[in-house]
Amino acid sequence: MSVAVSCRGVGKTYASRTGDVLALSPVDLEIAAGSFVVLIGPSGCGKTTLLRILGGLQAASAGWLALTPGADGRESVGFVFQAANLLPWLSVEENVALPLKLGGAARAARLERARALCGMVGLSGFERRWPRELSGGMQQRAAIARALAVDPALLLMDEPFGALDALTRTHMNQELERLWQASGATVVLVTHSISEAVMLADRIVLFSPRPGRVQAVVDVPFERPRRPALEGTAEFQAIAGNLRRMLGEET
Ligand SMILES: Nc1ncnc2c1ncn2[C@@H]1O[C@H](COP(=O)(O)OP(=O)(O)OP(=O)(O)O)[C@@H](O)[C@H]1O
Ligand SMILES: [Mg+2]
């Protein structure tokens, strides 16, 4: 139902015209199967780079990475990017079903699954619409449904709610927690929002400025499901304040 992730000295150097760019210092990181991990750190510190390496979209230039599947042997990976990236010439349900089509699933079966996923992310009634007929938040929900289509054991999310307004974002955070708990997947999510990190994470990994290295690992002990009111508590604010200090943006 999920994978455990081990990184040992995983680093990345990009070759560019003006010389090599060290994007990510060697990172050691253990991610427990089924946990919700949030990566946070200054712009350019290598969060997207690490996520792409975890998802196999990009090779590391140093180190060693292991994904250990759980008892059911599932090791599929789902990816949600900052932009929804829906294909404009496909309906919402066809977009959601696309990974299944690429995997060779029959049309009837994949559309049935896509409709169920649309329901799960609150898009019932919009299955046959075009992406352009959906709001930004709805498009992002469709992108999440598409990532869930392969029933991923590892769900990688790169600032998935960055473009949304605060209210929609709070709602999406709750939905994501629910979907994650129902699926049992391991989630690694990148965000710039400290409150989103504290609201969602079991564990927050804080990166230093480029070239990123792990500066701190913070466990977030709150029980689940977490309610939006949690953000107003002293305990929540203490963790958020601590992170803010470490990020050097004390207010
Ligand atoms: N294809 C590339 N070629 C050269 N340098 C790159 C490439 N992709 C990223 N970089 C560099 O690697 C560093 C890390 O980039 P990355 O996109 O991983 O940062 P990030 O932490 O995701 O930043 P942000 O928060 O702004 O999204 C940056 O300095 C960036 O300029
Ligand atoms: Mg990034």
Side-chain angles (χ1 to χ4, degrees):
M1 61 196 263
S2 56
V3 295
V5 182
S6 296
C7 297
R8 290 270 186 288
V10 168
K12 180 72 183 179
T13 304
Y14 288 106
S16 81
R17 273 177 301 133
T18 50
D20 288 353
V21 178
L22 180 59
L24 190 65
S25 300
V27 169
D28 294 323
L29 193 59
E30 297 293 326
I31 297 176
S35 66
F36 199 125
V37 170
V38 171
L39 311 182
I40 185 162
S43 182
C45 72
K47 304 179 297 296
T48 296
T49 299
L50 179 59
L51 214 60
R52 291 176 57 88
I53 292 171
L54 293 182
L57 299 178
Q58 196 166 52
S61 38
W64 176 88
L65 168 72
L67 304 186
T68 311
D72 64 356
R74 213 150 48 83
E75 53 184 3
S76 51
V77 177
F79 222 114
V80 179
F81 302 90
Q82 182 165 13
N85 295 321
L86 301 174
L87 299 178
W89 59 86
L90 295 180
S91 68
V92 169
E93 65 185 12
E94 286 168 339
N95 268 285
V96 173
L98 189 59
L100 303 172
K101 184 178 184 180
L102 299 175
R107 181 176 168 81
R110 64 181 192 249
L111 285 180
E112 188 185 327
R113 168 114 176 108
R115 285 174 199 137
L117 285 162
C118 285
M120 220 155 79
V121 299
L123 287 177
S124 294
F126 294 89
E127 295 90 341
R128 312 296 289 274
R129 301 289 191 94
W130 301 111
R132 63 170 178 277
E133 298 176 297
L134 269 52
S135 72
M138 293 164 85
Q139 289 186 25
Q140 204 54 332
R141 275 188 266 166
I144 292 170
R146 180 180 55 187
L148 292 173
V150 294
D151 201 7
L154 177 62
L155 181 58
L156 303 170
M157 309 181 87
D158 196 356
E159 300 184 44
F161 310 132
L164 305 181
D165 65 273
L167 256 180
T168 308
R169 193 167 183 159
T170 301
H171 178 68
M172 295 290 290
N173 284 346
Q174 286 184 281
E175 291 291 297
L176 177 60
E177 183 188 53
R178 190 176 57 75
L179 290 170
W180 162 68
Q181 290 199 298
S183 76
T186 308
V187 176
V188 183
L189 178 143
V190 173
T191 184
H192 278 119
S193 161
I194 290 174
S195 54
E196 184 168 271
V198 180
M199 192 55 95
L200 286 173
D202 291 324
R203 173 168 281 186
I204 299 172
V205 181
L206 178 72
F207 286 85
S208 71
R210 186 179 77 82
R213 55 175 181 77
V214 177
Q215 184 182 339
V217 175
V218 176
D219 286 314
V220 184
F222 305 122
E223 57 186 39
R224 300 182 186 271
R226 296 177 182 169
R227 298 279 160 237
L230 177 65
E231 193 172 347
T233 64
E235 293 85 350
F236 187 103
Q237 287 305 326
I239 295 177
N242 189 25
L243 286 165
R244 208 163 277 130
R245 259 187 306 283
M246 287 191 280
L247 273 168
E249 50 177 70
E250 202 167 358
T251 48

